[in-house]
Amino acid sequence: MSNSKNKWLVPVAFTNIYVIWGITFLAISFGLKGFPPFILSGLRFLVAGILMIGYLLSKGEKANSLVNWKKNAITGILILTGGTGLVAWGEQYVTASEAAISIATGPFWFIAIDRKNWKYYFSDKFIPIGLIIGFIGLVFFLKGSVHSNAAHAAGAGNLRITAFIVLGLSSIAWVLGSLYSKKNPASQSTFMNIAQQLIVAGAASFMIAFFRKEWTDFSVSAVPLSAWFGVLFLIFFGSIVAYLSYIWLLSVKPAALVSTHTYINPIVTVIAGWIVAHQSINGGQLYGLFIILLGVLLTNVTKYFKLSKRSKVKIRRLRRFFNRAGRRYQPI
């Protein structure tokens, strides 16, 4: 893939994971109005995976490598079943915004676990500074969310505490799966890898739903229309478009920088909740959002203002030209 093409694909892919996954937290809350958490997760993953692999097989791609299935199974179970599936469970007891905030520790787990790239992360002083500022913003954001009326209405007691712990574990599972995917890529197209990950994750989610006895009282006829709309969004946008963008970005950008989507997602979730579900945004949340944005800007500041070698050579030549001109026309 050419560098010129990557230049356009990278910002588009980042926009997908920043915006779509922010709305996904809200879509999950709609889906939970009619589906238990792991049935919801299994449905979105399995349908998306079957649609993708069916299309790829019709185009002549092969899916008969057991080694690739194994690699994608590990990635899919960690990222999707463990990461996203646990988010769906947690959103039974906390708001969509709180869930988005709770898993925003992702960049810190990436840096802590990804020892191979420690030298890169800490050679650029803006990255750790930006991550720290982003974390401070999350604290303010969480404080504002905890004191909101919606947070109190979502539930109380030990279940909420358990939900926050589970959401933290989901963030770790997501990081482990992402790093495994980056370091152990399957030898297939990105589309085929994602299709296999989705299929395995969907099957694993349905198995968990079976052991949790979610199927016992579940009735398709009782699912409201809003829940079906949530599922459709999760299948086509959350599980295909955004997930494809995420896995591709992991192959071309450092994992900790890709994980900055966990800082932007809560912003999108709160805004989407305000527009779609009429959830209020208080001053504490807005203050936290501003600090989070500042942190994300700093983690990427070097990339934004990085000059090519050719540009640096031109600047040096111009500098020498003006220095010579200045010496030549010095006043007597």
Side-chain angles (χ1 to χ4, degrees), residues 3-4 12 29-30 32 35 47 57 66 75 79 89 91 101 122 139 141 157 188 246 249 266 270 279 302:
N3 290 331
S4 61
V12 170
S29 67
F30 277 94
L32 288 172
F35 295 91
V47 171
L57 292 175
L66 292 178
T75 299
I79 293 182
W89 183 90
E91 282 199 41
I101 298 163
F122 293 104
V139 173
F141 194 176
Q188 302 172 133
Y246 179 77
L249 279 172
V270 169
Q279 297 176 357
T302 303

Side-chain angles (χ1 to χ4, degrees), residues 52-68:
M52 286 188 68
I53 203 169
Y55 173 78
L56 295 170
L57 292 175
S58 71
K59 292 295 183 181
E61 285 202 41
K62 304 295 183 181
N64 53 4
S65 170
L66 292 178
V67 174
N68 287 332

Side-chain angles (χ1 to χ4, degrees), residues 28 98 102 118 120 123 127 135 146 191 240 282 304 311 321:
I28 289 173
E98 287 175 325
S102 298
W118 276 4
Y120 166 78
S123 65
I127 292 178
F135 179 76
V146 167
F191 283 94
I240 296 179
N282 59 43
Y304 295 149
S311 298
F321 171 78

Side-chain angles (χ1 to χ4, degrees), residues 33-277:
K33 294 178 180 179
F35 295 91
F38 286 99
I39 291 180
L40 173 65
S41 299
L43 182 63
R44 64 175 286 199
F45 298 147
L46 198 58
V47 171
I50 291 173
L51 289 174
M52 286 188 68
I53 203 169
Y55 173 78
L56 295 170
L57 292 175
S58 71
K59 292 295 183 181
E61 285 202 41
K62 304 295 183 181
N64 53 4
S65 170
L66 292 178
V67 174
N68 287 332
W69 273 103
K70 178 184 175 182
K71 290 180 178 180
N72 287 321
I74 295 172
T75 299
I77 289 173
L78 284 172
I79 293 182
L80 298 172
T81 308
T84 307
L86 291 178
V87 170
W89 183 90
E91 282 199 41
Q92 296 177 108
Y93 310 107
V94 302
T95 65
S97 298
E98 287 175 325
I101 298 163
S102 298
I103 68 167
T105 53
F108 299 96
W109 290 115
F110 267 111
I111 289 180
I113 298 173
D114 190 15
R115 294 184 60 182
K116 184 179 178 180
N117 287 312
W118 276 4
K119 184 177 180 180
Y120 166 78
Y121 293 139
F122 293 104
S123 65
D124 184 349
K125 63 182 179 181
F126 289 106
I127 292 178
I129 292 173
L131 291 173
I132 292 171
I133 290 176
F135 179 76
I136 294 172
L138 287 172
V139 173
F140 281 103
F141 194 176
L142 183 58
K143 184 178 178 181
S145 299
V146 167
H147 288 91
S148 69
N149 293 330
H152 290 296
N158 294 332
L159 280 176
R160 276 177 59 79
I161 296 173
T162 303
F164 281 120
I165 294 173
V166 169
L167 288 167
L169 293 174
S170 77
S171 182
I172 296 175
W174 183 282
V175 168
L176 290 172
S178 299
L179 292 176
Y180 178 86
S181 172
K182 189 175 182 68
K183 296 174 182 177
N184 301 277
S187 57
Q188 302 172 133
S189 69
T190 303
F191 283 94
M192 182 59 77
N193 290 336
I194 290 173
Q196 292 179 355
Q197 291 166 19
L198 287 165
I199 289 172
V200 173
S205 297
F206 277 151
M207 287 181 62
I208 295 172
F210 173 78
F211 287 112
R212 294 187 72 244
K213 299 181 179 180
E214 290 184 358
W215 296 98
T216 304
D217 299 319
F218 175 67
S219 173
V220 175
S221 60
V223 178
L225 187 61
S226 61
W228 284 115
F229 280 126
V231 169
L232 288 174
F233 182 90
L234 293 171
I235 290 172
F236 291 102
F237 293 97
S239 297
I240 296 179
V241 177
Y243 190 55
L244 173 64
S245 300
Y246 179 77
I247 294 297
W248 178 76
L249 279 172
L250 283 177
S251 68
V252 298
K253 291 295 178 182
L257 294 183
V258 179
S259 71
T260 55
H261 74 88
T262 59
Y263 283 162
I264 301 296
N265 291 160
I267 302 172
V268 177
T269 303
V270 169
I271 295 173
W274 175 59
I275 296 173
V276 178

